[in-house]
Amino acid sequence: NTVPPQVVPGADPSARQLCFAWGPAEVLVCETLFSRAGGSCSRFWGEGRAGAAARAVTGSVAGTGEGAPSSSRVFVVRRDQDIYIQTLRKLFNESHGIFMGLQRSEEELAGKSRKAQLVQVSKNYRSVIRACMEDMHQAAVSTRDPALQGQYSTQVSILSAMELIWNLCEILFVEAAAAGPLLLRLLDWVRLHVCDVDSMVREVLSSESPSKHKLFWNVVDVFVLQGRMDEARHLLSKEASANPTSMNMYKILDDLMKKMPVPSLGNTQTLTELELKWQHWHEECQRYLQDGTFASNPHMESICKILLGDEDAILEKKELMTTWYHFLVTRLLYSHPTVRPLELRFYAQSSMDLFLAGESSPEPLDMILMAAFEFEMHQVIKECSIVLSNWWFVAHLTDLLDHCKLLQSHNLYFGSNMREFLLLEYASGLFSHHSLWQLGVDYFDHCPEYGRVYLELHIERIPLSTEQKALKVLRICEQRQMHEQVRSICKIMAMKALRNNRLGSALSWSIRAKDAAFATLISDRFLKDYCERGCFSDLDLIDNLGPSMLLSDRLTFLGKYREFHRLYGEKRFPEAARLLLTLMTAHIAPCSFWMTLLTDALPLLEQKEVIFSAEQTYELMRCLEDLTAGNPDKQKFQDDDVETTKVEMLRLALARNLARVIVKEGTVEGS
Amino acid sequence: QDNKISIWSAGDLGNAGLNGEYNGEPHLLCDIQHNGDVMDMQFLDQERIVVASSTGTVTVFRHHQNNQTLSANHRWEKAHYHVNQYTSCGGAACTGVVCNNPEIVTVGEDGRINLFRADQKDAIRTIDNADSSTLHAVTFLRTTEILTVNSIGQLKIWDLRQQRNEPSQIFSLAGDRVPLHCVDRHPNQQHIVATGGQDGMLSIWDIRQGTMPVSLLNAHEAEMWEVHFHPSDPDHLFTCSEDGSLWHWDTSTNISEKPSFLHQGGRSTAYLSHSTINQSVVSAWLSNDPTKDRMEITNLIPNQTLSVNSLDVLGPCLVYGTDAEAIYVNRQLFA
């Protein structure tokens, strides 16, 4: 049962020492600087699961100075190749819907209705598997690439095996069929899954005179082995009408077959009644056989022996049964139709031994089915995990069994139970896919212990190629109060926008994250642009900031400053003046901008009409003095002619304004 | 990434089975590779489809109905791009496309508006930096005017006849500048416009007056991705959202005659009386009296899980697609 180790293509441990690091969904393998001393070569044991898809990413190692830096490669080894198979996407998507429905389904339903509900869920999963099988089969038939065809065919057989196992688990665990119905379910199971004989059956039935067909008796045997009495009898009647000499024999056999007691699904008879009837019928068959009734027709005699449950007679038809579990069910049908679930294990083991008879050894599938017959659920899951390359099957099956309350907490070393472990593994695999990760989110949500932590780690690694994708990721984080991740994602998007000169987008992202620091950054950019160009860019944004202006002081300043310009443009000077002053005195404006603001005040001071009141003028003067006094490097300041001129002009304008306003305010207005 | 444009047949409308039900699921007719995510698409005419890509390319595909194939007819590479201060031009996603044969208008994350003509190699007109934020959607208001919505909550009207690169009008929501993701215009009454926001709010605007919406309706719990008036029956509106629901807004029924609780069909219905500002308009969308005209709202999705990204409606048919990689077709919308 061991999976052969996979070699990472291109990584050669004999040439360079390799190091590796585990990521959330992949393994990074890196070539180090150190080359192998001596000739010892050790194979790299890749990820134990089959299907390691390695992608070499060329990178260079920074030169250490010890010699020429050589380029190293980093390999990204993904553990799950299956999620990239196009045709399996339907399986993942549909099963996600079923999974969610199951998690949300009412637990208050008790007893029978709950069981019926769970059986329905199981059936839904199986029908999805079958639909996928159908698609895969179509793909295999229609493709011309032989490699692809091989891959699809393999997938079809894997899916088929999965459905076989799931179906058995449904019968034994979910539905927990009791003695009686158990046999009927097993018969259905066999009929559904042993299809190697279907083409033969079709051939005989569609031929002109079936009873003359050379495979006629084979088909009759198949029907008998599968308990399909009506169909067997129908075929036999054709033989009888073609061969009147055996009419007598045929009538007796037909009668026996008709009378055979079988368990019924409804509660029309108890097990004891059935056993009694069956005993009588069995004895009747025995009598006919011993009387030599069928002696002249070996086919019919063999059928009678089969009806009597003669193991050798049944084993003779090995090729028609093809599998040991078919043999098991046939045996049970004809020797212990009222078999109880817990008795199955003994019959299963002996059936397998008899059928294989030392010619071949059991395959993994056989071991899994055997574990199921032995009601060793944990064993089933363990074996499936080893054999299958993808966690899909075990994760969903275990979840369903857990909902049936069948799994005791099977503590693994990190303390969470098996169901959660499998779901975490499955969902982690989904996260390495560029689009199926959305399904993974819901699975993490339903892992109570570690789901959130896993989600937090994975969600930050999703590449955000478009804004729409970023919005979806953000929505997921916000719904789960993952504030750290929200902030981090918004910062990333805002930075990207800023680099691309999309200041409005950047602001939009900072508003979403309520990131005041970034809003300040963006405002500084705007102000810088203004200082350099003398006009505002993106007026549609600044003019329409609305309440988001309050996110950061700098942003508020930007909005108000722009408002000042607007007021000035509309010639509403007193209001403009008031606003300008407020900007400085209320310390909304950054100190670096005060000079600009004061310079903006100049035209207002030079107006014909006096705008600033005395009070306001004193304020302005104070601001100017604060500004010039606060400057430590007076020498530098004085050297800069432009600056000095500006300050002087301002002082002059302020003084003049003061003079005019004192006069104006002192004058008593004429009535 | 393998992205495809596909054409499906949703079954013959005339081919009803014995029970009068439509048989057969939609089946695939043809498909073709597409580079990048499909952000938006629209039919240009009976045969041609314009597709907006996340790489910034706009492609016109032709559907050959005789042999059921698709081919790329024309492509405008780098219709949308960023000029980065560090690297050279990188592609920017084209987020919306609208057609009025032969004109095609596209908008993108680069805040650019492009006007193309179907068979001409270069753009007829490009408005660079039309918006400092991302333009999420565009639609025609009149043949020469378009409406755009952006990520700082503004609805803008652009007059394409004018050469200046400024919008002729700007509308915005009061309060927080919630990004707007979709826009649609009433098919008959061109002054009525509906937009959907990032908070799932549906806004109805009368663009003849004011700069603020007429109605604000609390709808979805997450981003509203698309809003569509029914083209022939505009008393019906459809919205779909990231929260996985698709709502049918019905203002057609006059409930003053009918008791309000007895109505058939919907699984979860709610009544909303909407606060409005304007009084004098005829349309049910803008009407004021909450006791007289109420709206029926129905969620058309019974078991919602993942986001409904897109929808379209024509006649009795509704089509929508979800993040669970499924497309749903409802052919008896008003049954």
Side-chain angles (χ1 to χ4, degrees):
Chain A
N1 280 342
T2 53
V3 176
Q6 301 281 315
V7 177
V8 178
D12 188 4
S14 61
R16 297 261 274 271
Q17 272 194 0
L18 300 173
C19 66
F20 65 92
W22 290 98
E26 54 268 313
V27 176
L28 290 179
V29 176
C30 172
E31 293 175 339
T32 66
L33 281 181
F34 309 108
S35 52
R36 281 272 179 205
S40 63
C41 172
S42 56
R43 286 200 88 104
F44 173 77
W45 294 80
E47 174 65 18
R49 203 139 307 285
R55 200 179 69 216
V57 173
T58 346
S60 58
V61 175
T64 56
E66 277 181 37
S70 56
S71 73
S72 262
R73 289 175 300 171
V74 176
F75 298 89
V76 180
V77 182
R78 279 217 195 87
R79 71 172 74 184
D80 200 332
Q81 226 180 359
D82 287 353
I83 51 175
Y84 287 91
I85 298 178
Q86 189 66 23
T87 29
L88 281 182
R89 283 172 83 146
K90 188 183 194 167
L91 183 72
F92 299 129
N93 277 294
E94 300 265 327
S95 59
H96 165 262
I98 302 171
F99 175 84
M100 292 302 289
L102 177 59
Q103 311 307 309
R104 289 177 190 160
S105 69
E106 284 132 43
E107 296 254 0
E108 300 96 54
L109 289 180
K112 269 203 178 143
S113 37
R114 176 69 174 159
K115 188 192 270 203
Q117 199 179 41
L118 292 167
V119 170
Q120 188 55 48
V121 169
S122 179
K123 287 194 157 77
N124 290 341
Y125 275 122
R126 284 197 297 125
S127 75
V128 169
I129 299 177
R130 275 201 297 275
C132 214
M133 237 161 66
E134 195 43 58
D135 286 347
M136 198 73 84
H137 181 73
Q138 284 303 318
V141 161
S142 58
T143 186
R144 293 206 201 120
D145 177 3
L148 263 184
Q149 194 172 49
Q151 191 188 48
Y152 288 145
S153 303
T154 319
Q155 279 297 330
V156 171
S157 48
I158 292 175
L159 285 169
S160 167
M162 292 205 300
E163 213 254 311
L164 177 75
I165 300 168
W166 193 301
N167 200 345
L168 185 61
C169 292
E170 180 184 305
I171 297 169
L172 297 176
F173 308 140
V174 183
E175 196 182 344
L182 176 61
L183 182 69
L184 294 176
R185 292 279 185 253
L186 286 175
L187 274 172
D188 284 336
W189 177 66
V190 160
R191 287 173 198 157
L192 193 56
H193 288 101
V194 177
C195 2
D196 293 358
V197 296
D198 283 356
S199 51
M200 177 176 74
V201 170
R202 264 197 304 274
E203 205 187 300
V204 169
L205 287 179
S206 54
S207 74
E208 279 201 10
S209 87
S211 53
K212 302 253 191 304
H213 199 292
K214 62 175 164 61
L215 295 173
F216 171 77
W217 284 107
N218 284 358
V219 176
V220 177
D221 288 336
V222 163
F223 287 151
V224 171
L225 291 165
Q226 291 186 5
R228 289 151 83 172
M229 290 311 185
D230 292 337
E231 290 165 81
R233 286 172 52 214
H234 180 74
L235 266 189
L236 275 178
S237 68
K238 290 204 199 306
E239 150 77 2
S241 48
N243 218 343
T245 48
S246 51
M247 183 58 76
N248 210 24
M249 263 193 298
Y250 157 73
K251 276 210 183 114
I252 296 173
L253 187 61
D254 183 75
D255 190 53
L256 282 176
M257 288 167 75
K258 194 166 80 178
K259 284 197 303 198
M260 177 172 128
V262 281
S264 65
L265 278 172
N267 291 330
T268 51
Q269 57 178 2
T270 64
L271 277 181
T272 341
E273 275 175 27
L274 175 64
E275 273 171 14
L276 255 154
K277 277 195 209 163
W278 190 82
Q279 201 57 42
H280 282 149
W281 174 84
H282 189 91
E283 282 162 10
E284 195 180 335
C285 294
Q286 192 77 29
R287 272 200 304 278
Y288 280 116
L289 184 69
Q290 282 169 348
D291 285 347
T293 325
F294 305 106
S296 56
N297 188 326
H299 290 293
M300 291 210 198
E301 191 176 50
S302 135
I303 290 176
C304 189
K305 285 191 184 158
I306 291 172
L307 291 181
L308 283 169
D310 182 326
E311 276 171 17
D312 296 319
I314 301 175
L315 270 176
E316 265 175 41
K317 312 290 176 187
K318 227 166 145 179
E319 269 87 51
L320 296 177
M321 292 188 290
T322 69
T323 60
W324 63 270
Y325 37 95
H326 187 329
F327 173 54
L328 162 67
V329 175
T330 308
R331 254 180 95 195
L332 290 172
L333 174 63
Y334 293 116
S335 53
H336 298 277
T338 57
V339 63
R340 281 192 284 275
L342 292 172
E343 292 170 345
L344 276 177
R345 56 170 60 219
F346 308 112
Y347 294 109
Q349 190 60 56
S350 58
S351 298
M352 185 158 86
D353 293 338
L354 283 169
F355 194 88
L356 297 179
E359 285 169 5
S360 48
S361 52
E363 307 209 323
L365 179 60
D366 298 324
M367 300 314 295
I368 294 170
L369 293 172
M370 182 61 72
F373 283 121
E374 292 173 350
F375 280 79
E376 298 280 350
M377 261 173 267
H378 292 117
Q379 188 70 16
V380 172
I381 294 167
K382 180 174 153 206
E383 300 272 344
C384 288
S385 306
I386 294 173
V387 169
L388 294 169
S389 60
N390 179 287
W391 294 103
W392 180 88
F393 181 79
V394 284
H396 288 88
L397 181 62
T398 311
D399 175 64
L400 179 60
L401 293 177
D402 191 56
H403 274 88
C404 299
K405 308 248 186 294
L406 290 171
L407 299 175
Q408 274 85 52
S409 214
H410 191 104
N411 279 321
L412 298 168
Y413 72 92
F414 51 82
S416 75
N417 63 34
M418 179 158 62
R419 168 191 170 272
E420 175 152 333
F421 170 70
L422 294 171
L423 285 176
L424 289 172
E425 292 292 318
Y426 172 63
S428 300
L430 286 175
F431 261 88
S432 52
H433 191 275
H434 58 84
S435 138
L436 288 173
W437 61 268
Q438 284 183 293
L439 306 177
V441 173
D442 285 323
Y443 286 101
F444 281 141
D445 280 345
H446 289 99
C447 293
E449 241 182 281
Y450 288 101
R452 190 186 166 87
V453 172
Y454 269 68
L455 182 60
E456 283 174 6
L457 286 175
H458 276 109
I459 205 134
E460 281 189 318
R461 286 173 165 74
I462 297 169
L464 305 172
S465 47
T466 62
E467 287 201 355
Q468 192 167 16
K469 207 163 168 188
L471 286 171
K472 284 180 186 274
V473 175
L474 264 180
R475 182 61 61 183
I476 289 169
C477 294
E478 279 176 0
Q479 280 169 345
R480 290 156 182 78
Q481 275 94 46
M482 290 162 58
H483 302 299
E484 277 301 313
Q485 282 72 22
V486 170
R487 260 196 296 273
S488 131
I489 290 168
C490 284
K491 259 211 178 65
I492 293 170
M493 296 307 290
M495 268 321 283
K496 261 201 236 179
L498 210 56
R499 278 203 210 103
N500 287 326
N501 241 336
R502 314 295 318 143
L503 293 176
S505 295
L507 186 64
S508 167
W509 290 108
S510 0
I511 291 173
R512 177 113 184 223
K514 301 197 190 5
D515 191 343
F518 215 90
T520 306
L521 197 78
I522 296 166
S523 319
D524 279 337
R525 262 289 275 277
F526 272 113
L527 292 168
K528 194 168 120 222
D529 280 350
Y530 170 77
C531 287
E532 283 171 7
R533 284 190 277 169
C535 64
F536 284 108
S537 61
D538 305 317
L539 278 176
D540 63 334
L541 172 64
I542 310 176
D543 279 343
N544 291 291
L545 282 172
S548 59
M549 211 192 307
L550 301 171
L551 184 61
S552 113
D553 282 346
R554 196 58 52 82
L555 197 58
T556 315
F557 168 65
L558 181 64
K560 291 284 173 199
Y561 188 51
R562 166 67 196 150
E563 200 181 320
F564 164 73
H565 279 270
R566 252 212 327 271
L567 288 170
Y568 189 90
E570 291 169 12
K571 300 215 191 313
R572 289 152 69 181
F573 297 129
E575 291 170 61
R578 253 196 309 273
L579 181 55
L580 188 63
L581 202 51
T582 324
L583 286 177
M584 282 190 284
T585 54
H587 294 284
I588 301 175
C591 291
S592 53
F593 225 74
W594 278 22
M595 204 57 210
T596 319
L597 288 176
L598 287 167
T599 320
D600 284 332
L602 260 177
L604 287 173
L605 291 165
E606 302 290 333
Q607 290 283 330
K608 252 209 295 221
E609 199 186 315
V610 171
I611 297 169
F612 286 102
S613 72
E615 193 66 45
Q616 287 173 329
T617 316
Y618 282 128
E619 285 288 337
L620 278 173
M621 289 165 107
R622 191 175 58 76
C623 287
L624 180 58
E625 292 318 307
D626 278 345
L627 197 56
T628 51
N631 196 319
D633 200 348
K634 269 211 165 100
Q635 187 69 26
K636 186 178 171 204
F637 201 53
Q638 281 166 357
D639 281 348
D640 194 341
D641 274 342
V642 178
E643 286 302 309
T644 340
T645 322
K646 255 201 243 173
V647 173
E648 280 178 13
M649 277 180 66
L650 271 168
R651 288 213 179 101
L652 186 58
L654 283 167
R656 277 215 289 259
N657 191 65
L658 193 56
R660 285 159 62 195
V661 84
I662 287 176
V663 169
K664 177 180 167 211
E665 284 177 5
T667 309
V668 174
E669 289 290 313
S671 48
Chain B
Q1 296 190 21
D2 292 317
N3 292 318
K4 293 199 175 82
I5 302 286
S6 318
I7 306 241
W8 300 73
S9 155
D12 257 333
L13 277 176
N15 193 12
L18 288 173
N19 310 332
E21 298 203 328
Y22 297 115
N23 21 0
E25 297 184 348
H27 68 274
L28 182 66
L29 293 177
C30 50
D31 59 25
I32 189 169
Q33 288 286 103
H34 180 261
N35 200 12
D37 296 342
V38 175
M39 305 294 294
D40 199 5
M41 61 183 177
Q42 197 170 57
F43 272 95
L44 177 64
D45 55 25
Q46 286 281 13
E47 291 190 331
R48 288 180 294 178
I49 308 156
V50 184
V51 179
S53 166
S54 62
T55 60
T57 303
V58 179
T59 319
V60 180
F61 290 97
R62 188 183 286 276
H63 175 215
H64 306 271
Q65 280 163 357
N66 47 357
N67 60 353
Q68 287 304 345
T69 53
L70 276 169
S71 62
N73 195 3
H74 194 99
R75 185 167 279 146
W76 291 287
E77 308 254 352
K78 287 250 159 71
H80 292 277
Y81 56 92
H82 286 305
V83 181
N84 190 314
Q85 57 187 140
Y86 302 118
T87 67
S88 58
C89 301
C94 175
T95 51
V97 70
V98 70
C99 305
N100 188 6
N101 204 358
E103 291 185 331
I104 301 167
V105 179
T106 70
V107 293
E109 279 182 16
D110 55 353
R112 183 171 275 117
I113 301 178
N114 287 315
L115 173 61
F116 297 105
R117 198 155 267 151
D119 294 315
Q120 295 200 11
K121 191 169 138 246
D122 294 319
I124 306 289
R125 176 138 178 236
T126 299
I127 305 177
D128 284 325
N129 214 16
D131 201 306
S132 62
S133 64
T134 300
L135 288 167
H136 283 295
V138 63
T139 190
F140 273 101
L141 178 62
R142 282 177 257 276
T143 42
T144 53
E145 287 180 324
I146 55 170
L147 287 161
T148 60
V149 288
N150 66 12
S151 59
I152 42 176
Q154 295 172 322
L155 172 67
K156 295 183 181 173
I157 302 181
W158 301 82
D159 189 338
L160 297 173
R161 286 170 301 191
Q162 297 189 7
Q163 276 312 305
R164 64 184 190 136
N165 289 345
E166 301 284 324
S168 47
Q169 235 182 321
I170 301 181
F171 301 85
S172 54
L173 298 162
D176 284 330
R177 296 286 185 255
V178 177
L180 293 173
H181 283 288
C182 50
V183 62
D184 197 22
R185 192 209 71 200
H186 194 287
N188 307 331
Q189 304 182 315
Q190 294 181 345
H191 53 275
I192 301 178
V193 172
T195 61
Q198 202 171 81
D199 53 0
M201 183 109 67
L202 172 69
S203 312
I204 310 283
W205 310 70
D206 180 351
I207 58 171
R208 297 174 309 189
Q209 40 214 318
T211 54
M212 301 223 299
V214 164
S215 308
L216 290 169
L217 301 159
N218 236 327
H220 297 280
E221 290 162 6
E223 286 84 352
M224 186 189 297
W225 293 124
E226 289 201 13
V227 61
H228 288 271
F229 281 98
H230 192 288
S232 46
D233 208 345
D235 283 334
H236 298 264
L237 181 82
F238 297 88
T239 60
C240 67
S241 161
E242 175 73 18
D243 69 1
S245 59
L246 195 158
W247 290 24
H248 170 192
W249 307 68
D250 183 358
T251 56
S252 60
T253 49
N254 188 349
I255 308 209
S256 54
E257 271 127 21
K258 202 159 56 157
S260 53
F261 353 84
L262 303 174
H263 97 99
Q264 61 277 33
R267 287 161 192 91
S268 56
T269 61
Y271 290 102
L272 274 191
S273 61
H274 39 283
S275 66
T276 63
I277 301 170
N278 195 340
Q279 291 261 3
S280 60
V281 193
V282 179
S283 164
W285 291 108
L286 301 177
S287 79
N288 184 31
D289 191 344
T291 57
K292 211 160 44 136
D293 294 316
R294 261 178 273 171
M295 229 189 294
E296 277 179 37
I297 307 166
T298 321
N299 183 2
L300 296 179
I301 301 183
N303 301 314
Q304 59 193 61
T305 46
L306 295 181
S307 163
V308 180
N309 291 322
S310 181
L311 75 95
D312 207 352
V313 60
L314 185 68
C317 295
L318 171 74
V319 124
Y320 61 93
T322 69
D323 264 341
E325 304 187 5
I327 304 174
Y328 296 82
V329 181
N330 179 345
R331 276 189 294 244
Q332 293 167 303
L333 194 52
F334 298 113

